[in-house]
Amino acid sequence: MCFIQGSRANAPCEKVSDCGCSGFLAFLEELFGDVATAGGYRYGAKDNLGHRLDTLKIIENPRGGYLGVYHYSPTENSRDFNVSLAISTDILNWKFNRTIEPEASQPTIAQAPNGAYIVAFEKHVFIGTKEERHLGFYYFPNLTSLLTNSSAYKFIAPLTVAARNEGTPNIYNITIENSIMQVLVGFHYNDAFGLDRVAIGHLIIPLDNPQNMIWNCTKPQQKYNQELLETYPDIEGHIGDRDYGQIFGRNFTLQEAQYVRGNDSTWAVFLYDHLTNTFHELNIKTHKGSKSFANPTFTVLNSPAGDIRIIMTYFLHTAGNAAMPGEGGELIFTKKLQASVTDEKYDLVIYSNSTIKHYCVDVAEKSVNIVVTGEDGTKGYCIIKLPKNLTQSLWNDSFIVLLDGVEYPFEKWSDSQYTYVYLHYLHSKHEIKIIPEPFCIITLAVLAGSSILILYKSKRKEIAKTADESLLRR
């Protein structure tokens, strides 16, 4: 006989993809793509002086509010851009602070572990009548330095991958060891056919002498570029700007690409999952139906209460009437993922769009129990953030999920500290229970009527890789 809580024979589906509902990646595609469900949004964003906030990258201001870097043209229809800094208290409205770098564009910004700020940009370099694009960097030792341009250190990198153009930087991570800061930077370069492709490089900053910055270890991301082109073979244009971040312990990149070379009405944005090494095109839905999106950025902010705020920006091209009236230019929108349950005793957090009617951790039963409700027939989801010491002590890291007593498909992944469980369902009242993976006890008759007991664990497909693997493992 077999002792199992719930029955696999009655399970709604064997895999998440069989449910007719979406999985975690589809959840993210909607999060990044559906502007209509945003908590706040602004099309054609400009600062208080009327400057366009093109390619805006937003981070948190430790003094309160937000910091943003962007480029704008001092004269209408000019391609001479200034990289600038602005300040906001509400994400959507911005006050000009200062120009960081003239004759530059495509900026990004990140705060380092020591409280310093790195601003990277695409510098327009003129050699005689010839124009080149080089990567440029500023090191600001603190926030005051960033806001006032005091004690700042600047470095313009030499071309290392392309003969003429390298730009659109993003920052993957910043580490410090033995007073040496290393910044891992993504950028585009022009290949032999004049097409933008993605590369990476390392900016080395000796903290005792920041003016002696070094740019090295640059290389094209050939597998990354090839994966996008093989997944979407209709892409014939550039693979350009991108931004990187982490959501629920999992690393993602938003990547722009152009379907038709030279046609700005054909830009699209793709979500790259560093866990599965796969690309997924975003079906971005604006209020009026604009079609061409580029220069994606996203920032994930965690509140003390456990809530997650995600800030996203896209540039909406007007070429070929791709942007609907009133939607062209820089789009800013934000969404909030509310922590429905924050259990400080167990360091456990539940994010859900359902109403949580009941929750408990039953150590004796070795279970986590959640009762959810919602409007009948609407889509519901739960993302459960579990500390690894809890999953180890309760289940030895091996568990299943029951929905109303029936084993139910879920997705699972881990970072260095937590395990994340994602499941979705159609709303009514449901009981979700996480329990140890069951053992079956089978009696086999062998050798003249004697018997032995064999214990075995059921096997199932699940995402169980860790999200803290090497960032650029391809």
Side-chain angles (χ1 to χ4, degrees):
M1 56 184 174
C2 185
F3 300 96
I4 300 181
Q5 294 189 21
S7 169
R8 288 181 62 84
N10 296 324
C13 52
E14 186 69 20
K15 297 181 296 185
V16 172
S17 58
D18 293 335
C19 291
C21 302
S22 57
F24 180 66
L25 285 176
F27 167 81
L28 287 183
E29 290 171 16
E30 182 174 343
L31 182 73
F32 284 120
D34 192 351
V35 185
T37 58
Y41 62 89
R42 184 180 178 187
Y43 293 98
K46 298 181 179 180
D47 66 19
N48 63 310
L49 300 181
H51 303 146
R52 289 164 51 130
L53 295 168
D54 292 354
T55 72
L56 177 68
K57 171 62 178 179
I58 300 169
I59 63 171
E60 196 167 18
N61 185 342
R63 297 179 184 174
Y66 308 91
L67 304 167
V69 292
Y70 58 104
H71 72 236
Y72 74 92
S73 176
T75 57
E76 193 68 25
N77 299 320
S78 170
R79 295 189 63 83
D80 293 329
F81 297 113
N82 291 340
V83 166
S84 298
L85 174 70
I87 305 170
S88 175
T89 58
D90 63 3
I91 300 174
L92 301 180
N93 297 286
W94 292 85
K95 182 179 179 180
F96 177 84
N97 176 262
R98 69 180 185 88
T99 292
I100 295 176
E101 181 72 13
E103 297 182 340
S105 61
Q106 310 286 343
T108 191
I109 185 171
Q111 187 176 23
N114 65 345
Y117 289 85
I118 305 297
V119 173
F121 52 93
E122 183 176 310
K123 179 63 176 175
H124 306 183
V125 177
F126 297 89
I127 303 173
T129 58
K130 185 178 73 170
E131 181 183 2
E132 295 181 347
R133 302 296 177 97
H134 290 237
L135 292 168
F137 302 94
Y138 272 100
Y139 175 83
F140 298 101
N142 51 52
L143 180 59
T144 299
S145 173
L146 172 67
L147 295 173
T148 64
N149 197 31
S150 59
S151 303
Y153 300 90
K154 174 181 170 181
F155 174 68
I156 304 299
L159 297 174
T160 57
V161 179
R164 186 172 177 181
N165 293 322
E166 295 176 358
T168 59
N170 74 287
I171 296 173
Y172 287 112
N173 62 18
I174 304 174
T175 58
I176 298 175
E177 185 175 354
N178 298 325
S179 296
I180 300 294
M181 179 181 291
Q182 291 200 46
V183 185
L184 181 59
V185 179
F187 63 98
H188 85 255
Y189 68 97
N190 279 158
D191 69 7
F193 301 99
L195 291 169
D196 292 350
R197 295 292 183 259
V198 177
I200 59 167
H202 292 258
L203 179 68
I204 310 300
I205 306 174
L207 296 181
D208 58 354
N209 218 355
Q211 67 265 30
N212 293 334
M213 296 186 218
I214 300 171
W215 176 243
N216 63 12
C217 299
T218 57
K219 61 178 181 179
Q221 290 296 89
Q222 294 177 345
K223 290 184 179 179
Y224 177 90
N225 294 319
Q226 195 60 33
E227 178 66 28
L228 177 57
L229 293 171
E230 289 178 354
T231 306
Y232 296 92
D234 290 339
I235 294 174
E236 298 176 350
H238 301 295
I239 303 174
D241 200 4
R242 76 227 63 77
D243 200 19
Y244 165 85
Q246 188 178 84
I247 302 176
F248 297 115
R250 201 156 156 179
N251 303 319
F252 294 94
T253 293
L254 289 182
Q255 176 67 58
E256 69 171 16
Q258 187 183 43
Y259 273 103
V260 180
R261 182 173 184 173
N263 186 341
D264 283 341
S265 69
T266 65
W267 285 98
V269 176
F270 302 81
L271 177 70
Y272 181 75
D273 181 4
H274 290 261
L275 183 63
T276 59
N277 298 325
T278 54
F279 282 97
H280 309 266
E281 184 174 0
L282 297 182
N283 179 21
I284 300 173
K285 300 175 182 177
T286 67
H287 290 77
K288 296 181 180 179
S290 295
K291 297 299 183 183
S292 182
F293 307 91
N295 304 107
T297 80
F298 72 103
T299 301
V300 181
L301 303 177
N302 298 289
S303 75
D307 297 335
I308 296 174
R309 180 178 294 277
I310 302 177
I311 305 167
M312 293 148 284
T313 69
Y314 301 123
F315 182 78
L316 277 61
H317 280 283
T318 57
N321 296 319
M324 293 294 102
E327 292 190 346
E330 193 71 2
L331 165 64
I332 309 169
F333 66 107
T334 179
K335 295 187 179 182
K336 181 180 178 181
L337 300 178
Q338 185 170 350
S340 302
V341 171
T342 302
D343 187 334
E344 294 183 359
K345 178 180 178 180
Y346 293 104
D347 191 21
L348 182 154
V349 184
I350 301 172
Y351 300 89
S352 181
N353 65 340
S354 306
T355 299
I356 308 295
K357 303 294 289 186
H358 171 75
Y359 154 80
C360 74
V361 176
D362 191 324
V363 176
E365 188 188 49
K366 295 184 178 297
S367 66
V368 172
N369 304 277
I370 308 164
V371 176
V372 300
T373 62
E375 183 179 351
D376 285 357
T378 59
K379 293 180 180 180
Y381 72 86
C382 266
I383 301 171
I384 307 162
K385 179 183 176 183
L386 300 154
K388 283 190 169 181
N389 60 354
L390 184 66
T391 62
Q392 178 65 32
S393 62
L394 290 184
W395 310 304
N396 197 27
D397 290 329
S398 184
F399 55 86
I400 64 170
V401 174
L402 305 179
L403 186 73
D404 301 327
V406 176
E407 188 172 352
Y408 195 74
F410 65 98
E411 295 180 53
K412 162 187 155 185
W413 63 92
S414 299
D415 62 18
S416 59
Q417 293 181 285
Y418 297 94
T419 293
Y420 301 82
V421 173
Y422 171 85
L423 68 154
H424 56 261
Y425 39 80
L426 294 179
H427 272 128
S428 62
K429 183 178 180 181
H430 294 298
E431 180 182 3
I432 299 168
K433 179 174 284 194
I434 306 176
I435 62 171
E437 189 170 16
F439 286 90
C440 291
I441 305 176
I442 300 178
T443 305
L444 297 179
V446 294
L447 296 179
S450 63
S451 64
I452 61 172
L453 294 179
I454 299 177
L455 300 180
Y456 74 94
K457 281 187 175 182
S458 62
K459 303 294 182 183
R460 57 186 45 80
K461 294 181 179 179
E462 60 186 22
I463 298 177
K465 298 179 183 177
T466 58
D468 56 354
E469 295 174 306
S470 174
L471 168 68
L472 296 172
R473 176 174 171 263
R474 300 285 181 244

